[in-house]
Amino acid sequence: MAHAVAFLYLHPPSRITSTPSPRNQSCHLSSNLGSFASRKSSATSIFHSSSNGSTSGRFIANSQQGNGCGEANPSRPMGSNWSNQLTTFTSQNFLPIALITGVALGLANPTLGCLAHSYNLSKVSTFGIFIISGLTLCSDEIGAATEAWPVGIFGLVSILFFSPLTSKIVLLLQLQPQEFATGLAIFCCMPTTLSSGVAITRLAGGNSALALAMTVISNLLGILIVPFSISTLIAGGLGLTFPTESLLRSLIVTLMVPLVVGKVAREGIPALASAVDANRKALSIISAILLSFVPWIQISKSRSLILSVKPTTFLIAVFMGGLLHVLLLCFNYFAIPALSLLSGGNKSPFAKEENTIALVLVASQKTLPVMIAVVEQLGGSLGEPGLLLLPCVAAHLNQIILDSFLVSLWKHPERRMTNSKTV
């Protein structure tokens, strides 16, 4: 996995032709001596919670302070800043904190989680997540993605048909409990993240309209395709009978209906759309809280089984989740040159940097909210829900961390050129 990430680090999706801006000669020596420290501080990772319950990774350049010659601004008293920094960190990382808190509460005291389960709170929270997703889904830019339609078609094929095939690899793992492997296999069959892929694409300078189009279409089609993928690739491999039609109906009611209702309300009521846009941060926090309810409830129900799991087994499952994401990144990355050659060379839409960035990032991610909804509807037919979800929560966070790291590297052409020359 480390070699694959290093390769992407040294070889971004397409060649960067921009050159660094000229610097003042008097600053040259000090900037070179301080380059390592400045680059280290410019990769501060901050993960933002999104309006749909997914996360979006961002790397904020914090080193761009001072007079431009490597001289820092006057230092501020640390006592006056730490509380503001803590508040900012919590706000920007609310979803990961909420998910981890839900898992921790379920393990520490399962009583409240079991009580919430008796009132079907997890189903209500899932419905609420997708109502918010529909309300916050902006589709004005989707029309701008039409010229890159070949890239979008390949992205949909990768998301909905290629990546589910990796579930066969996961099922070969002999983990105890087997639900860890089964949960990761189900995760492979999910569509892309509902908004974090778009956010990271925009941050990396990619085609955000194309990313949005792939996100919307893959999630709508995914609701129809996921039940058949799970039935064919997972339940069949485990020798289990699978309620495909029942799951399809449940996903349409639980996911598609609230998503469409929220979207129609947004498009039909301009005042509501304006209010939603003005309160996106609050809706993002509400969505994160609703999303954290499900792992909290499911882990509360499965606490005794989870505590019996060996830590090494869980770490192996987490590592496999990260490895699968790297596999998808590599597949989408290495497919670009061949597709570009077959579709017009330099004139191909695959040859455009902004399109390839969107393809690599969006087609390599998997959504957690849809995964949670699927596990809810399965009712334990493929294993204990809490054990199915636990490694997927970790895998979801891993993919955001890895993609944020890659975006930070792709945004530093000087660093890539220097390292390429060294190699």
Side-chain angles (χ1 to χ4, degrees):
M1 183 168 67
H3 291 296
V5 173
F7 188 91
L8 289 174
Y9 157 56
L10 294 174
H11 303 81
S14 63
R15 180 170 55 90
I16 304 294
T17 58
S18 60
T19 57
S21 60
R23 299 180 179 231
N24 190 302
Q25 186 174 3
S26 65
C27 301
H28 182 71
L29 178 60
S30 62
S31 64
N32 282 339
L33 291 174
S35 62
F36 175 78
S38 66
R39 283 197 294 265
K40 181 179 179 182
S41 61
S42 68
T44 302
S45 172
I46 301 177
F47 304 103
H48 292 260
S49 60
S50 64
S51 60
N52 60 18
S54 298
T55 57
S56 62
R58 304 189 66 181
F59 277 72
I60 309 298
N62 291 330
S63 64
Q64 306 303 319
Q65 299 176 354
N67 59 11
C69 296
E71 298 178 8
N73 288 329
S75 59
R76 299 176 182 176
M78 292 184 63
S80 63
N81 285 339
W82 74 268
S83 60
N84 291 335
Q85 292 174 353
L86 180 61
T87 301
T88 302
F89 175 83
T90 303
S91 174
Q92 293 174 334
N93 294 274
F94 192 82
L95 178 62
I97 292 173
L99 290 173
I100 294 170
T101 301
V103 172
L105 287 176
L107 292 173
N109 189 350
T111 305
L112 287 177
C114 293
L115 180 64
H117 173 69
S118 65
Y119 287 97
N120 293 319
L121 182 60
S122 58
K123 293 182 180 180
V124 174
S125 65
T126 302
F127 192 89
I129 289 168
F130 285 92
I131 281 282
I132 294 175
S133 296
L135 288 171
T136 56
L137 185 59
C138 298
S139 57
D140 297 340
E141 296 179 333
I142 291 181
T146 53
E147 64 179 23
W149 67 266
V151 183
I153 293 295
F154 175 76
L156 293 175
V157 171
S158 177
I159 293 167
L160 298 174
F161 297 102
F162 171 76
S163 56
L165 295 177
T166 59
S167 62
K168 287 292 189 181
I169 300 174
V170 178
L171 290 176
L172 296 175
L173 293 174
Q174 299 298 318
L175 297 179
Q176 293 298 328
Q178 185 60 32
E179 281 92 338
F180 279 2
T182 305
L184 287 174
I186 296 173
F187 193 59
C188 293
C189 298
M190 295 299 110
T192 189
T193 50
L194 286 164
S195 72
S196 64
V198 178
I200 296 176
T201 298
R202 185 177 289 114
L203 180 66
N207 188 338
S208 59
L210 174 62
L212 181 61
M214 287 191 291
T215 298
V216 174
I217 296 172
S218 70
N219 275 274
L220 291 176
L221 291 178
I223 294 173
L224 304 176
I225 295 173
V226 163
F228 298 97
S229 298
I230 296 175
S231 175
T232 303
L233 299 173
I234 300 175
L238 296 174
L240 301 174
T241 57
F242 187 77
T244 306
E245 295 181 2
S246 174
L247 178 60
L248 177 60
R249 289 194 298 268
S250 297
L251 291 181
I252 290 174
V253 173
T254 308
L255 305 188
M256 184 175 286
V257 170
L259 186 66
V260 171
V261 167
K263 181 60 179 172
V264 169
R266 176 183 177 85
E267 298 298 329
I269 310 175
L272 177 61
S274 299
V276 167
D277 291 338
N279 294 278
R280 280 183 174 269
K281 188 62 179 179
L283 289 172
S284 174
I285 292 174
I286 294 171
S287 182
I289 293 172
L290 292 174
L291 184 61
S292 68
F293 282 170
V294 181
W296 166 53
I297 292 170
Q298 297 297 344
I299 287 172
S300 295
K301 290 169 51 185
S302 309
R303 178 178 179 270
S304 59
L305 288 174
I306 292 172
L307 293 179
S308 67
V309 174
K310 295 180 180 179
T312 53
T313 303
F314 176 69
L315 291 176
I316 291 172
V318 172
F319 174 78
M320 283 302 302
L323 185 61
L324 285 168
H325 182 59
V326 171
L327 176 64
L328 294 177
L329 285 169
C330 291
F331 170 78
N332 292 306
Y333 171 79
F334 287 115
I336 291 170
L339 293 169
S340 178
L341 184 63
L342 293 173
S343 58
N346 292 334
K347 296 181 179 180
S348 167
F350 289 96
K352 294 183 178 180
E353 178 187 7
E354 62 271 19
N355 293 343
T356 56
I357 288 176
L359 173 63
V360 170
L361 293 174
V362 173
S364 303
Q365 293 189 0
K366 295 297 177 182
T367 182
L368 185 61
V370 178
M371 167 71 186
I372 287 174
V374 169
V375 171
E376 277 288 301
Q377 301 303 320
L378 289 176
S381 61
L382 292 182
E384 191 65 30
L387 296 175
L388 293 172
L389 285 176
L390 190 58
C392 299
V393 171
H396 176 78
L397 298 178
N398 279 344
Q399 69 185 3
I400 302 302
I401 294 170
L402 287 170
D403 288 354
S404 299
F405 180 68
L406 290 175
V407 167
S408 177
L409 297 176
W410 290 341
K411 290 180 69 178
H412 288 78
E414 284 185 5
R415 180 174 181 177
R416 290 197 306 269
M417 291 172 63
T418 301
N419 286 338
S420 297
K421 291 177 180 178
T422 302
V423 173

